[in-house]
Amino acid sequence: MPHFGFKCTECFKNHKADPQTLRCGTCSGTLSVKYANSKKQVNRQVGDGMLDMPIPLCSLSEYLSLGEGNTPVVFMPNISTMLETEIYAKLEFMNPTGSFKDRGTAMMISALKSKGVSEIVEDSSGNAGASVSAYATRAGIKAHIFAPLSAPQTKLNQIKIYGSILHEVDGSRDETTQAAEEFVENKSIVYASHNLSPFFIEGTKTFGYEIFNDFDREIPENIVVPVGNGSLYLGIWKALEELKEKRLIKTLPKLHCIQAENVNPIASNKTLSKSEIKSTVAGGIAVGSPPRKSEVQSVLRQSKGFANSVKEASIVEWQIKLAKHEGLFCEPTSAAAFAGLENLINAKEINKNERVLIPITGSGLKDIFPE
Ligand SMILES: [Zn+2]
């Protein structure tokens, strides 16, 4: 018996952990990893080797790394003065392929490789596709990456350079997922969806463990996260809960969720019809029907965080502001978090005497150049 299994997030039924299983066989709910209280538990040391983090692999030697994680945290003096709040950024674009996705991909590809999988399908708005392409190459796995034709050319080129087969879809982000699912069914290839894989979230957990170390155990009171599918958001929360269980932290920060006003199924708490989904410069969070929506909403309630939608103009404004005032060129998806932060401060949903941490999920060099 391995030391971990899957648990359905809807009907709570337990399932055998398998990287090819993406949904509950009983109710089609999304799955998450559950660890048994076992002596066989495998841990990775994270946060400068200070912390043991449980991982869903049978041996540490199965973990495939390209050097992801341990990204720097920087204080943002000028933006802090502007918003009269102490603001920090964690530079996730310093991961091997330029986005936070590498944390999740490393774990997901390790699990697939450990089961001898040799060919996979993935769909992405760009960053996850590039990440899966790189890690799959390293693992000797052939990857088919589906991405919208409208994704930035730099991201599409990056997917191709690692050697994966790029399938460009003339449609929305959600139509790209549909095209990938059809391909999986027709060709009987393993679907390595980073949105559904429970292993992916086990990888993004490292962000939560690292900030415990980055802030010398005093994690900021607020973490503001741009949310599309919510894999980073949910990974941070899972890590914080594990740290609390180990009695390393007493209180959990508020986890705020930022979406673009043009695609905001979580912030609006609505099921968006095709005509309600508009285009957004924040391609990384342009997800009309996130499969883990109810999980994100549950964390919002538990952490007492707020969901906020931001206007297109404010996303571009903040992308330029961050570059001009902090020397930080981030992708629009990350800039959206700052636009949301400004809204939350103005609405007094974040107190000015509390600290704020924002992940800079991806580099501006990968995305649309501001005018
Ligand atoms: Zn279920």
Side-chain angles (χ1 to χ4, degrees):
M1 276 287 286
H3 65 282
F4 60 95
F6 287 168
K7 194 180 182 89
C8 175
T9 63
E10 299 283 335
C11 74
F12 307 111
K13 193 175 170 192
N14 291 317
H15 298 272
K16 190 170 159 274
D18 183 328
Q20 299 190 42
T21 306
L22 297 175
R23 284 190 184 272
C24 170
T26 306
C27 77
S28 290
T30 49
L31 301 166
S32 67
V33 169
K34 188 172 167 13
Y35 294 97
N37 212 346
S38 156
K39 281 189 184 145
K40 281 194 272 177
Q41 179 140 311
V42 177
N43 292 307
R44 259 194 84 215
Q45 290 192 320
V46 291
D48 281 348
M50 280 177 63
L51 297 162
D52 280 338
M53 183 186 94
I55 60 167
L57 296 174
C58 292
S59 153
L60 201 51
S61 63
E62 289 174 353
Y63 184 75
L64 185 151
S65 174
L66 292 184
E68 63 289 333
N70 287 325
T71 54
V73 169
V74 292
F75 175 58
M76 313 196 81
N78 300 318
I79 301 295
S80 293
T81 304
M82 216 177 270
L83 296 179
E84 298 174 63
T85 311
E86 202 175 320
I87 302 164
Y88 297 86
K90 190 160 168 72
L91 308 184
E92 288 298 284
F93 59 83
M94 293 184 73
N95 278 297
T97 74
S99 85
F100 82 91
K101 304 279 188 188
D102 293 339
R103 295 178 183 273
T105 305
M107 191 63 76
M108 182 176 77
I109 295 291
S110 298
L112 288 160
K113 186 174 167 55
S114 75
K115 294 287 176 197
V117 171
S118 59
E119 192 170 1
I120 56 170
V121 175
E122 157 75 320
D123 61 285
S124 157
S125 62
N127 279 340
S131 182
V132 169
S133 187
Y135 281 79
T137 283
R138 179 67 173 269
I141 294 174
K142 182 178 174 184
H144 298 266
I145 312 288
F146 284 70
L149 191 61
S150 57
Q153 196 57 46
T154 38
K155 288 187 179 178
L156 298 175
N157 289 346
Q158 194 190 359
I159 290 169
K160 285 192 281 190
I161 193 88
Y162 300 116
S164 292
I165 300 156
L166 173 66
H167 300 254
E168 288 169 281
V169 178
D170 190 6
S172 67
R173 176 68 186 85
D174 295 286
E175 284 162 341
T176 304
T177 301
Q178 283 164 21
E181 284 171 347
E182 277 165 30
F183 187 80
V184 165
E185 211 166 295
N186 293 338
K187 306 273 179 186
S188 299
I189 301 172
V190 173
Y191 187 27
S193 165
H194 71 283
N195 302 325
L196 292 170
S197 168
F199 291 96
F200 196 89
I201 289 174
E202 292 304 302
T204 59
K205 271 190 336 194
T206 49
F207 184 105
Y209 277 77
E210 285 173 24
I211 57 174
F212 176 79
N213 195 44
D214 294 334
F215 288 92
D216 201 14
R217 296 180 169 235
E218 301 292 332
I219 296 172
E221 293 80 6
N222 298 278
I223 306 178
V224 180
V225 187
V227 173
N229 279 295
S231 58
L232 180 60
Y233 186 86
L234 294 170
I236 296 172
W237 184 250
K238 197 162 184 202
L240 296 171
E241 281 196 312
E242 286 176 5
L243 291 169
K244 194 170 176 226
E245 218 165 277
K246 290 176 190 172
R247 296 174 195 270
L248 289 168
I249 49 174
K250 282 192 190 130
T251 49
L252 299 177
K254 290 179 209 133
L255 248 63
H256 307 284
C257 153
I258 308 301
Q259 298 207 293
E261 211 172 75
N262 284 357
V263 192
N264 63 351
I266 296 167
S268 68
N269 195 20
K270 271 171 67 180
T271 303
L272 302 178
S273 66
K274 209 175 159 186
S275 63
E276 284 174 303
I277 300 170
K278 302 187 186 87
S279 74
T280 171
V281 289
I285 50 173
V287 184
S289 40
R292 295 188 184 274
K293 179 179 171 180
S294 59
E295 290 175 68
V296 172
Q297 287 174 325
S298 164
V299 172
L300 265 172
R301 284 190 296 275
Q302 291 176 69
S303 83
K304 300 187 173 56
F306 291 95
N308 190 271
S309 306
V310 298
K311 294 190 185 306
E312 290 301 294
S314 68
I315 298 173
V316 177
E317 225 172 79
W318 271 101
Q319 190 186 26
I320 296 168
K321 233 184 248 184
L322 288 161
K324 289 201 170 155
H325 296 279
E326 298 288 356
L328 180 78
F329 183 32
C330 66
E331 61 176 9
T333 295
S334 313
F338 286 84
L341 169 64
E342 187 178 27
N343 289 345
L344 292 175
I345 290 173
N346 288 341
K348 298 193 168 36
E349 284 164 345
I350 288 181
N351 294 326
K352 286 188 176 173
N353 59 354
E354 292 177 345
R355 293 165 304 151
V356 175
L357 172 69
I358 296 187
I360 309 299
T361 50
S363 164
L365 295 173
K366 291 228 242 177
D367 218 314
I368 302 160
F369 199 84
E371 287 172 18

